[in-house]
């Protein structure tokens, strides 16, 4: 399914309008395309027709294959019906197909039934399908019986195929006008549409379904994953507030809440997308990442540079599409809450995960506080509870589909709100067990090797609970030993609601070019599943730390995600990413703000008209020329006294080398 919101597209246009070129351009990102040629070869002596066919062949990329269907008009419907969901087909064109259909060699025949069969094949197609057809309905009625038969048959074909396609475009003089969006617009309550310009505005003629500026159907209601029941909206998005000072003892009785007003996102755009294997999603820029890293070598940076943080600069440059990436200013944390029943949650305190979710909604706890310190918004998402995996599937197939779409919508909501970075977090009971089961199924790992030890609420190891969890994963793998290992099957049998929603988030973020920070078992398990649905998703993910978890280490190695740090924090999934975020932002700020080294033609000298007399820096030893009795202009890093010869002493330059800590911290002492 195309991320533009269509799976089947009919491109109409007149002679020499550019319809074929446009049809080929919309599938240019596909790795392979099957070109279905419907036109007969024609008279061998017709050199002009042969030239046209040769021009068409020369324009196709070398990776495309060609299939001829001119011998039998029924063959086209068979080719379309047999195409799989991972294939991309371009049919050019239906005018040639109608010519073969009306050929006396294929008569008598029921032309109406043949056209209906073609439309039915297009409607049922799971492949990405683009059909090209001449639009002859704007010309005069032909004066010959054969001409009228052709225009009537082609008009009927165009109407039937247009009705069956998700989208229809008309190309006139090289300009494209979209006649049919990807999905019908549902009714929208007046209160659900924002006053400012929204996605439902009229679009310019060249905008396509799902593209910026195109007329978009707006959905004001969603479906809670796994239930099928309509819900008013996606979960509210809050921005935790940073307290100005440590809270006094009576803070709990204070009136104001710890949260700022919720930041409501725009209504969601219904894309009509079906999430399936082989999705064609965008990749980060191949060139700007290496360019940004090479540019660091030219900056005025002392020492060896940014070290491992150079990878952050390269990642941000590739995902932002520029060699000078900027720090992420708008960050959203998605906290997924959903428990796993059975042995997966052995050793977990009943109700503890729900308390953590309520705590986050109230602006309490480590995750909310770290989000507040980073100026990030926080969205707590309830995911479907998962059944015991050792006894049966964690979710039904319908629940998996709903959870994937729900996660996609969460990512779309964030992108529409201008979020530049997503942080994926989870707090459900048994999440690490479900993630270990997914890793064992997708990477062939042994459950004990990827399942971390169980830590009680008192900080003690519960090895008995760990063995119960390992047994649950073992039994689940034995139960599914003959089951398919496709992505959706793994989510249904083993992953559960939170992993399914997280997978949808990764896919939706990839489609909208929003990078994601992974932190913990659920995030990396979703990364393992998403690679089988869209291999591009992992390239939009960054793993700041493995947290000491063996399963995260293994998944990172399989996904090609090298952790940047080794903090070994254990504050809950997502907290380590937020703790590392200021460091990542600092690296991007340096990369974006520092000038080129003076030896390469850069430097700070030209930025100042006159140097400050008291702060020339530690390398300056020249006296200031404006004093009768020159004093040393730079007292050096250890001097903090003002000059005694002046009534109003100048500042001595509060550079980094002149600031001393108020109280040194002794080794082994904790700095509070």
């Amino acid at each position: 399914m195309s991320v533009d919101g269509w799976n089947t597209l009919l491109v109409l246009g007149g002679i020499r309008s550019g319809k074929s070129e446009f049809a080929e351009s919309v599938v240019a990102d596909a790795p392979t395309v099957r070109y279905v040629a419907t036109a007969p070869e024609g008279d061998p002596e017709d050199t002009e027709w042969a030239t046209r066919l040769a021009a068409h062949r020369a324009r196709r990329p070398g990776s495309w294959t060609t299939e001829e269907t001119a011998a039998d008009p029924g063959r086209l419907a068979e080719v379309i019906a047999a195409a799989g969901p991972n294939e991309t087909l371009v049919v050019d064109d239906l005018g040639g197909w109608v010519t073969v259909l009306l050929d006396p060699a294929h008569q008598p025949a029921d032309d109406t039934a043949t056209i209906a069969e073609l439309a039915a094949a297009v409607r049922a197609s799971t492949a990405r399908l683009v059909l090209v057809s001449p639009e002859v309905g704007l010309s005069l009625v032909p004066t010959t019986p054969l001409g009228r038969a052709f225009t009537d048959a082609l008009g009927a074909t165009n109407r039937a195929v247009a009705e069956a396609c998700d989208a229809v475009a008309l190309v006139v003089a090289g300009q494209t006008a979209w006649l049919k969006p990807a999905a019908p617009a549902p009714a929208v309550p007046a209160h659900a549409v924002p006053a400012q310009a929204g996605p439902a505005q009229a679009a310019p003629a060249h905008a396509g379904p799902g593209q910026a500026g195109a007329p978009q159907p707006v959905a004001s209601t969603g479906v809670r994953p796994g239930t099928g029941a309509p819900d008013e909206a996606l979960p509210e998005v809050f921005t935790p507030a940073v307290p100005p000072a440590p809270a006094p003892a009576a803070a709990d009785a204070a009136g104001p809440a710890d949260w700022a007003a919720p930041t409501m996102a725009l209504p969601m755009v219904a894309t009509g997308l079906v999430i399936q294997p082989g999705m064609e999603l965008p990749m980060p820029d191949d060139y700007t990442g290496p360019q940004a890293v090479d540019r660091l070598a030219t900056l005025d940076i002392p020492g060896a540079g940014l070290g491992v943080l150079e990878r952050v600069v390269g990642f941000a440059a590739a995902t932002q599409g520029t060699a000078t990436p900027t720090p992420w200013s708008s960050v959203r944390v998605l906290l997924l809450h959903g428990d796993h029943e059975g042995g997966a949650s052995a050793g977990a305190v009943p109700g503890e995960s729900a308390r953590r979710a309520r705590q986050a909604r109230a602006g309490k706890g480590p995750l909310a506080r770290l989000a507040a310190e980073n100026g990030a918004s926080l969205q707590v998402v309830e995911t479907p509870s998962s059944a015991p995996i050792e006894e049966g599937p964690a979710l039904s197939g319908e629940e998996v589909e709903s959870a994937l779409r729900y996660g996609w919508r969460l990512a779309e909501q964030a992108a529409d709100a201008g979020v530049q970075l997503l942080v994926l977090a989870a707090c459900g009971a048994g999440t690490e067990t479900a993630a270990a089961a997914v890793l064992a199924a997708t990477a062939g790992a042994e459950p004990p090797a990827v399942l971390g030890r169980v830590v009680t609420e008192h900080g003690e190891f519960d090895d008995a609970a760990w063995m119960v969890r390992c047994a649950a994963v073992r039994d689940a793998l034995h139960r599914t030993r003959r089951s398919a290992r496709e992505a959706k099957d793994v989510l249904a049998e083993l992953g559960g609601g939170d992993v399914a929603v997280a997978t949808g988030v990764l896919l939706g973020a990839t489609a909208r070019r929003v990078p994601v920070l992974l932190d913990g078992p659920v995030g990396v398990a979703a990364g393992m599943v998403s690679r089988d649905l869209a291999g591009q998703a992992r390239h939009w993910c960054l793993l700041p730390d493995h947290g000491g978890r063996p399963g995260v280490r293994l998944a990172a190695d399989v996904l090609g995600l090298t952790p940047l740090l080794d903090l070994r924090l254990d504050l809950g999934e997502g907290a380590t990413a937020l703790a590392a975020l200021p460091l990542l932002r600092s690296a991007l700020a340096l990369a974006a703000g520092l000038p080129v080294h003076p030896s390469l033609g850069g430097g700070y000298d030209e930025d100042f008209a006159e140097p400050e007399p008291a702060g020339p820096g530690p390398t300056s030893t020249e006296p200031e020329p404006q004093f009768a009795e020159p004093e040393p202009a730079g007292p050096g890093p250890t001097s903090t006294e003002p000059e005694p010869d002046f009534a109003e002493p100048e500042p001595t330059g509060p550079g980094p080398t002149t600031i001393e800590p108020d109280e040194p911290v002794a080794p082994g002492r904790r700095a509070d």
Side-chain angles (χ1 to χ4, degrees), residues 271-299:
T271 62
L273 183 68
V274 176
I275 299 177
Q276 59 188 4
M279 299 177 68
E280 298 169 356
L281 302 183
M283 282 282 290
D285 195 297
D286 290 334
Y287 302 101
T288 54
Q291 288 173 357
V293 175
D294 293 342
R295 179 177 172 273
L296 293 176
T298 68
L299 300 183

Side-chain angles (χ1 to χ4, degrees), residues 344 346-348 430-433 436 447-457 459-470 521 547-553 570:
T431 56
E432 191 166 355
T433 307
V450 293
L451 190 57
R453 299 179 70 180
V454 180
V455 181
T456 68
E457 58 181 334
E460 301 174 347
F461 291 114
D462 188 345
D463 289 334
W466 177 81
M467 287 188 285
V468 172
R469 295 187 181 188
C470 288
R549 294 184 173 93
V552 176
R553 282 200 189 98
D570 193 8

Side-chain angles (χ1 to χ4, degrees), residues 93-333:
D93 68 2
L94 295 183
W97 179 78
V98 169
T99 301
V100 176
L101 179 66
L102 299 179
D103 192 314
H106 301 292
Q107 297 297 326
D110 189 347
D111 298 341
T112 303
T114 306
I115 294 173
E117 291 174 1
L118 175 62
V122 171
R123 185 178 295 105
S125 175
T126 60
R128 192 181 186 191
L129 177 62
V130 180
L131 303 105
V132 182
S133 183
E135 176 50 61
V136 296
L138 302 179
S139 62
L140 298 175
V141 177
T143 59
T144 63
L146 183 58
R148 288 192 294 271
F150 177 80
T151 54
D152 290 346
L154 184 55
T157 301
N158 287 346
R159 289 186 60 178
V161 173
E163 191 276 332
C165 284
D166 301 325
V168 180
L170 175 64
V171 180
V172 180
Q175 306 302 308
T176 306
W178 290 87
L179 307 181
K180 181 181 179 181
V188 182
H191 67 273
V193 181
Q196 67 270 24
Q201 285 183 319
H206 62 275
Q211 295 175 341
Q216 296 290 344
V218 179
S220 62
T221 60
V223 177
R224 187 179 298 278
T227 65
D231 190 15
E232 283 297 325
L234 293 173
E236 288 186 335
V237 180
F238 300 95
T239 303
V242 181
D252 294 338
D258 289 341
W259 296 87
T263 304
M264 301 307 295
L266 292 175
M268 294 307 304
V269 176
T271 62
L273 183 68
V274 176
I275 299 177
Q276 59 188 4
M279 299 177 68
E280 298 169 356
L281 302 183
M283 282 282 290
D285 195 297
D286 290 334
Y287 302 101
T288 54
Q291 288 173 357
V293 175
D294 293 342
R295 179 177 172 273
L296 293 176
T298 68
L299 300 183
D300 190 9
I301 299 177
L306 296 178
V308 296
L309 296 182
E310 288 185 352
R311 297 206 305 268
V312 179
V313 178
F315 173 80
T319 54
Q320 294 179 21
T322 174
T324 55
T326 58
W328 303 291
S329 59
S330 179
V331 181
R332 178 170 297 180
V333 183

Side-chain angles (χ1 to χ4, degrees), residues 429-513:
T431 56
E432 191 166 355
T433 307
V438 171
L439 292 177
T442 56
E446 290 294 331
V450 293
L451 190 57
R453 299 179 70 180
V454 180
V455 181
T456 68
E457 58 181 334
H458 304 295
E460 301 174 347
F461 291 114
D462 188 345
D463 289 334
W466 177 81
M467 287 188 285
V468 172
R469 295 187 181 188
C470 288
V473 176
R474 177 203 63 198
D475 294 344
L477 294 175
H478 179 76
R479 178 181 60 81
T480 61
R481 64 190 182 279
R482 293 186 177 91
S483 300
R485 286 291 186 254
E486 299 294 333
K488 293 182 181 180
D489 298 317
V490 171
L491 291 175
E493 296 288 348
L494 306 171
D498 48 2
V499 179
V501 172
T503 303
V505 169
L506 293 184
L507 296 173
T510 300
R512 298 298 297 270
R513 301 178 182 272

Side-chain angles (χ1 to χ4, degrees), residues 372-396:
E373 294 291 341
N374 284 281
S377 59
L378 176 61
Q379 191 173 18
V380 182
V381 180
E382 294 294 334
T383 65
S385 297
S386 304
I389 59 176
E390 65 270 28
E391 300 176 4
L395 297 176
S396 66

Side-chain angles (χ1 to χ4, degrees), residues 3 10 12 21 36 43 76 127 138 161 182 206 214 239 295 316 335 349 411 426 450 493 543 548 552-553 610:
V3 297
L10 173 63
L12 299 171
E21 291 89 335
V36 182
D43 187 352
L76 179 58
L138 302 179
V161 173
H206 62 275
T239 303
R295 179 177 172 273
L335 177 60
V349 178
V450 293
E493 296 288 348
L543 183 66
V552 176
R553 282 200 189 98
E610 181 177 342

